């Protein structure tokens, strides 16, 4: 086909100047019949490319499209090559065409599908396979007390569906733990997820809107491979679907207050609630939401084989008592790490104190709420049982329950060693309650021995607290009060002759 400028020249020379087709043809080096065609053509419609049927390629195109869509959900190293697809077509579908034809088709379709998926992420609300995330807050009953706890909601605007999980905080570890739980439960990863500018994810917003992500969130995104989007500051309406879903979840599932004894067990019940809710018709599309959710699923990315470690690591220096401060809470390590640096692994529910080789020194349940200090006694008791005199020169003496500090103060050095060994043996979960009862019971007739405390402890543990009174058959002489310490040895150093007197 000639260029527009050439066609205009031909029409001007023939129709305006009266030149012959042959003379213009010689001048332009074009066949006179072509000059005739363009000089007299009345319509200049765009010529549609004819699509010829291909008896060899047409039957396998749907198969190739399916394979390409499946592979685009995977990491590149797990995607099939055009050659591999060609081999599978030959082996399983009796394909008789050439490898070059398959290679060209796969290359073209991959480009088209990638472009289509890229366009589909904007606007987020209109396409399957996308999600929005935000936290809400609801009241819960915990040990007869009403407390507010955050819950993480992931909503799917296309199908009007959701999942949610309750956590003790809105920190980075809780956010990532919640996202990973949802990914793993539903067996896929949304292609695009829109967030508010949550502090667990965004460290800083630049002048031109660039986001500096927190290190852990950035690694989480790389691990799961989804595309993240953030709302403009103060524009919460840009994630309006999840904001509406946060209210829907609270009103329909979390009010009035749920009683929570174990948060992990409670969260297990929430999956079914979300899936039952999907049985209702979509508010706009007049289709049951579960059908639309299946379209969401078809567009998700595949899960990576390994889970992400939703934890952050840090180095902190212990004080002179071996205590470290994490997020303004105090956690014990061990006396041997006093004034030394230790490695800490922080998860949403645990604080693990580690050695340089990542061996666990001690594990704490992570503190939330008003409690400020977590003390694991075993590492300290082991040391103190070997050096009981040192206890009076440390703050640990004051951190024992007062019942035990009074008892230890009245003990000899050997008794202190035995008592501290007993505490190390019997103290479970750093709860002194049963040991306090045992000491009180054993002290009812004076200063008890370690064996007496141990006996009372196991009696209480086995609920054997009934003690029958012993009626003596013979008269027992009155035993004088015991004087603790060294004064009762004075009788051995009386003056000579006093015995005969």
């Amino acid at each position: 086909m000639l260029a527009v400028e050439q066609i205009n020249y031909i029409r001007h020379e023939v129709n305006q100047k009266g030149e012959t087709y042959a003379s213009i043809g010689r001048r332009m080096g074009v066949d006179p019949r072509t000059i005739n065609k363009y000089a007299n053509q009345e319509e200049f419609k765009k010529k549609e490319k004819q699509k010829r049927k291909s008896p060899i390629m047409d039957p396998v195109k749907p198969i190739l499209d399916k394979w390409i869509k499946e592979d685009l959900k995977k990491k590149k190293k797990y995607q099939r090559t055009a050659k591999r697809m060609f081999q599978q077509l030959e082996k399983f579908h009796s394909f008789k065409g050439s490898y070059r034809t398959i290679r060209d088709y796969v290359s073209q379709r991959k480009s088209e599908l990638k472009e289509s998926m890229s366009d589909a992420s904007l606007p987020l609300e209109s396409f399957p396979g996308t999600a929005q995330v935000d936290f809400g807050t609801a009241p819960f009953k915990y040990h007869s007390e009403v407390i507010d706890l955050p819950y993480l909601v992931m909503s799917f605007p296309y199908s009007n569906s959701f999942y949610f999980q309750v956590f003790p905080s809105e920190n980075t570890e809780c956010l990532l733990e919640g996202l990973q739980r949802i990914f793993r439960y539903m067996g896929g990863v949304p292609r695009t997820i829109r967030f508010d500018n949550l502090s667990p994810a965004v460290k800083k917003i630049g002048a031109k809107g660039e986001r500096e992500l927190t290190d852990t969130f950035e690694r989480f995104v790389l691990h799961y491979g989804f595309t993240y989007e953030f709302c403009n500051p103060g524009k919460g309406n840009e994630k309006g679907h999840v904001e509406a879903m946060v209210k829907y979840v609270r009103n329909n599932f979390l009010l009035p207050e749920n009683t929570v004894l174990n948060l992990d067990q409670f969260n297990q019940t929430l999956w079914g609630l979300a899936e039952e809710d999907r049985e209702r018709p979509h508010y706009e599309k007049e289709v049951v939401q579960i059908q639309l959710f299946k379209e969401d699923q078809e567009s998700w990315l595949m899960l990576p084989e390994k889970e992400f470690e939703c934890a952050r690591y840090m180095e902190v220096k212990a004080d002179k008592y071996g205590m470290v401060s994490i997020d303004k809470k105090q956690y014990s390590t061990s006396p041997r790490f006093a004034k030394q640096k230790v490695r800490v692994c922080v998860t949403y529910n645990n604080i693990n104190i580690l050695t340089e080789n990542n061996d666990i020194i001690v594990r704490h349940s992570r503190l939330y709420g008003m409690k400020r200090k977590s003390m694991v006694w075993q590492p300290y008791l082991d040391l103190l049982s070997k050096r009981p005199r040192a206890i009076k020169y440390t703050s640990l003496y004051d951190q024992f329950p007062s019942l035990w500090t009074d008892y230890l103060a009245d003990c000899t050095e050997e008794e202190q060693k035995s008592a501290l060994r007993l505490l190390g043996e019997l103290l479970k979960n750093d709860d002194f309650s049963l040991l306090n009862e045992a000491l009180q019971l054993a002290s009812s007739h004076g200063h008890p021995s370690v064996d007496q405390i141990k006996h009372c402890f196991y009696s209480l543990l086995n609920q054997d607290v009934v003690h029958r009174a012993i009626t003596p058959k013979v008269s027992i002489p009155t035993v004088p009060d015991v004087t603790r310490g060294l004064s009762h040895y004075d009788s051995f150093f009386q003056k000579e002759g006093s015995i005969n007197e």
Side-chain angles (χ1 to χ4, degrees), residues 284-297:
E284 192 175 61
K285 299 175 183 176
E286 298 182 353
V287 179
V288 178
Q289 289 179 181
I290 194 169
Q291 297 298 326
L292 298 171
F293 188 71
K294 289 179 180 176
E295 295 182 43
D296 269 322
Q297 289 175 308

Side-chain angles (χ1 to χ4, degrees), residues 475-481:
S475 60
I476 300 175
T478 303
V479 179
D481 292 337

